[in-house]
Amino acid sequence: MAQDAPTTIHLKDYKPAPYVPGDLFLNFSLEPRATRVTSRLQFSANPASKEKNAALVLTGERIKLVSVKLDSKALAASDYVFTDSDLTIPNIPAAPFTLEIETECDPVGNTALSGLYQSSGIFCTQCEAEGFRRITYFYDRPDVMTRYTVRMEANKAACPVLLSNGNFQEGGDIAGTDRHFAVWHDPHPKPSYLFALVAGDLAGVHGSFTTMSSKTVQLGIYVEKGKEDRCAWAMESLKASMRWDETAFGREYDLDVFNIVAVSDFNMGAMENKGLNVFNDKYILALPETATDLDYTNIEAIIAHEYFHNWTGNRITCRDWFQLCLKEGLTVFRDQEFSSDLRSRAVKRITDVKTLRARQMPEDAGPLAHPPRPNAYIEINNFYTPTVYEKGAEICRMMKTLIGEKAFRKAMDLYFERHDGEAATVEDFVACMADASGRDLSQFFKWYEQAGTPHVKVTTHYDAKAKTFDLTLAQKTAPTPGQADKQPMHIPLGLGLVGPSGEDMALDLEGVGSLNAPIIELTEEKKLFRFRNVTARPVLSLNRGFSAPVILQENVSPEDQLFLMGRDKDTFNRWEAGQSLGKSLIIANLAALRDKLPPPRSKGYADALQKTLADTTLDAAFKALMLGLPTEADIAAAIAKDVDTDLVLQSRNRLRAELGAELKDSLLAIWKDTEERGAYAPTPENTGRRSLRYAALGLLAAGAPKIAVDLIQRDLAKASNMTAEIGALSALVGIDAPETNLELENFHARHAGDSLLVDKWFSLHSQVATPGAAARIEALMGHPDFRLSTPNRVYALIGGFTAMNLSGFHAADGEGYRVVADTILKLDKTNPQVAARLATGFRSWRLMDEARRKAATVQLERIVATPGLSRDCFEIASKTLKG
Ligand SMILES: [Zn+2]
C-alpha cells in the first residue's frame, strides 16, 4: 500500500448510502488460489439519502473483477471505473435495479487474515471491520443491512464441512464432479462485517440448548481433527452464556443453530458473526493438562462475550465505526457481569481494574489517547482498543451506578425494543438510559467524547467539635492529542466513612440529608461535600468498587492505608489500599537506591499482609491478589517522568525480596495447604486455591530463592495440570538460576508439537527480566518453532516482551526498541493489523528518561520513514512519535 497521503475519516462526514440493497445472494466456488464469488442483489433508492440519481460506488480491495451485470446486461469496461479501493458505476437507471458481480480472490495468498483466507487448509473469513470488501464489491459499511443467502461449493474430500451464517437450507453432491455444495440462509438482516463462511476438514462436537420459549437450538463446535476432546468446557460455557442472557436480560437466541469454529491463525480473539462465531483456537481448546485456570476463565468469558453480541452488536448494530464502543463497551460490560455472577464479583472487579490500569490508562495518558467514541481515524482496525472496549464498559457500569439496577434493566429493555434491527448510535443508547430513568445524562455523555483519565484531587478535614467531615474534590483531565481543553465530567463515586472499629458510619450530607445509596456525584470542577454528625474521625474509603475510572490523588497516611487494608468492608478498596501502600514503598525504595540510602521500612506492610493471609473469612483468590505488588508499569505510570526502568525493576524486586523473607513461614504454610487434591476442576474455589499457591510461590521465589527453586522443581515433577506447570514456571522465571533455563527447556521438550503450549513457552521466555533480554528475544525469533505468520506466536513472544518486560523492552541501550521495530517492519509486509498492534507497545516511551526517549525516537522515526509502510502502522507509529 502506498503511504503518501493516508485519508482521515471523520464522524461529522457521515452520510447514509444513496441506495439500499434487497436480499443478497452470494455464490462461492472455493479454490485455494482462485475462489470465484458471484453476488446478486437488487438496489432501491434509500429514502434516508438526500442524493438523487447518484452514482453507485461500492468498495472492494485486492480482488479481481471478472464481470459486472446491471439489470442482467453485461457492462463494458467503459461503463464503470474501478480503482484499487472501489468500483463506480456512474450511469445508474432509475431504482430499483439489479446488479450481478463476479470477482476472484486468492485465499492462500491472503496473509493479512482479513477477508477470505486459509488457515491450516481451512477456508475461513474475517470481515470485521472491513474484510468483506476483500471478497466482493459491496457497501461494506455497518449501516447497510440485508438478508444473506449463501451457496458454496468445494472439493468434498478437502472440505467436507461447509458452514455459513443462519440456518442450513440444502446441500449435496454435484453430479459428475468431486465437489459438493451447501446453501445457508440467514433470516436476520445484517451488515457485511458479520458475514462468515468456513469450509474445511473439521471435526464437529455437538450439543443442544432449549431456550426460554422451549425452542431447541443445535449447537456445534468445529475444530481441527484430533482436538474434539478439548471442546467440552467451551460447550458448557456456551450453554451457560445462553442461559444467563435469558435470565439477566430476557434475551433469547433467534436461529435454529449456533456454530463456533476454532482456527489457529486469527488476528483477534474471536468474532461474533451471526450464528457462526469464529474463534482463535486458544479461546476454545481446553483440557486440564493443556490449559491453565486463566485459559478456562478466558474461554468462558470470551464465548459469553461473542454470544452476547447476538443482541448487542448483531440485532442492534453500529451506524458507523465511530460507534464501535456501542457494541463493544456494552458487550464487555455484559461479559464482566456474567463472570461476576458465575464467579466472585469482588475478585472479578479487581482483575478488571488491573486490566484497565495495565492497558487502558496508559493509552489514555499517552500519544494514542482517544475518546471511547473517536471522531476521526485513518485505519479503523487501529481502534479496537482498550479505550473502546474497557473504558466503554466502564461507562456502561457508571450509568448503571447512576440510575440504579432497576432503571438500568428497564433502559436495556427499551433499547432492545426501540432499536432492534437497526444500526444505532451511542446517542440512541444513552437516550434509552435517560428516558428509562428520567435522569439528565447530557453532561455524562462527555465520557464518550473526551479522552484522558480524570484526576480527582481529594482533601479532607475533620472537625471534632462540629462533628463535620469535609471532603473537597477537584477534578482535572490533562490535555490529550487534539483535545487541549477539557470539561468537567460527571463522576459517580462510591464512598464510605469508616469508623474506628471498622464499621461504616451513617452518611448525612449537608444539603441532601441521609444518603439512600453510598454514592456522591461530582459534576463541578471543584466541590465541597460536608458530612454531618460524624462522631469520630473517620477514615475515608473513596471510589469504592472502583465506581469511576479515575485516578485519585490522595494524601493518605500509611497508618490509614494499613487500616483500610485490614478493615474496609469494600473488598476492592481493601486491595486498593494495599496497592497504594505498595506503590509508595516501591517509589521510596527507588529514591533510596538511586541516592544509595537505606530502604524505607516495610514491616507494617508485611504485617498487614500476614494478617490478610491468616484471615479465615477471606477467600483464597482475594488473598492471592493481595500478595501481588503493583506492576513495574504501574510504578512507571505513577512516577510519570524520566523513568529509569532498571531502577523500577530493582526497587520492586527489593521490596518483593523483603516481603518474601518476612512472610516466609506463612508462604511455606500456604504451599503445604494448597496442594492439589482430587481431579482438576476450574471451579472458582479450586481456581482461587491454585492462584494463592502460585502467588505465594512467586513471593517466596523473591525472598528465599534457594528454597523456592527446590519447591518449584518438586511441583513441576508431579504437576498433573497445566495451571501447576505454568504457575511453578512463572515463579521460576523471576529467579536468575541455572534451573530456570533447564526447566524451561524441559517444558518445551514435554510439549513440543502442541502449538498453544509452545506459545506459552515463548511467553514465559518473553518475561525473563535479566540483562540482555532483547538479544534473547532476537535469538528466540530464530528458533525453529517461531513463526511470524501466526499471530498467537507473535503476540506471545513480542507482545509479551513489550507488555510484560518493562526493563527489557525499555532497555537503556535501545536494543529492546530496535528488536521490536525490526519485527514490526518485517511483519508489516504480510500482516499490517498485527504489526500495528505491536507498534502500540511504544505508547509509554515519553515517560522514560532521556537516553531511552532518544532511542525510542530513532526507532519510531525509522518505522514512519519506511517506504511502503501500511496505513495501519503509519497511523500508530506517527501518532506515537508526535503525541
Ligand atoms: Zn466484541
Side-chain angles (χ1 to χ4, degrees), residues 272 305-306 309 327-328 331-332 389:
E272 71 262 22
H305 177 96
E306 305 308 333
H309 269 313
K327 78 174 177 79
E328 293 305 341
T331 307
V332 170
Y389 279 65

Side-chain angles (χ1 to χ4, degrees), residues 390-456:
E390 271 102 38
K391 192 171 181 179
E394 292 298 319
I395 297 176
C396 296
R397 182 176 303 280
M398 283 190 283
M399 278 195 278
K400 186 178 174 188
T401 303
L402 283 169
I403 71 177
E405 191 151 351
K406 256 205 186 130
F408 184 78
R409 174 64 201 268
K410 207 170 118 196
M412 288 300 297
D413 288 347
L414 181 62
Y415 178 61
F416 293 127
E417 186 192 305
R418 210 183 256 179
H419 298 290
D420 188 14
E422 288 181 9
T425 61
V426 169
E427 278 85 351
D428 293 332
F429 177 64
V430 177
C432 293
M433 294 288 148
D435 292 351
S437 66
R439 291 220 41 182
D440 177 0
L441 295 173
S442 46
Q443 186 190 358
F444 183 84
F445 198 80
K446 290 257 163 324
W447 281 103
Y448 283 107
E449 297 177 312
Q450 198 163 277
T453 306
H455 287 241
V456 177

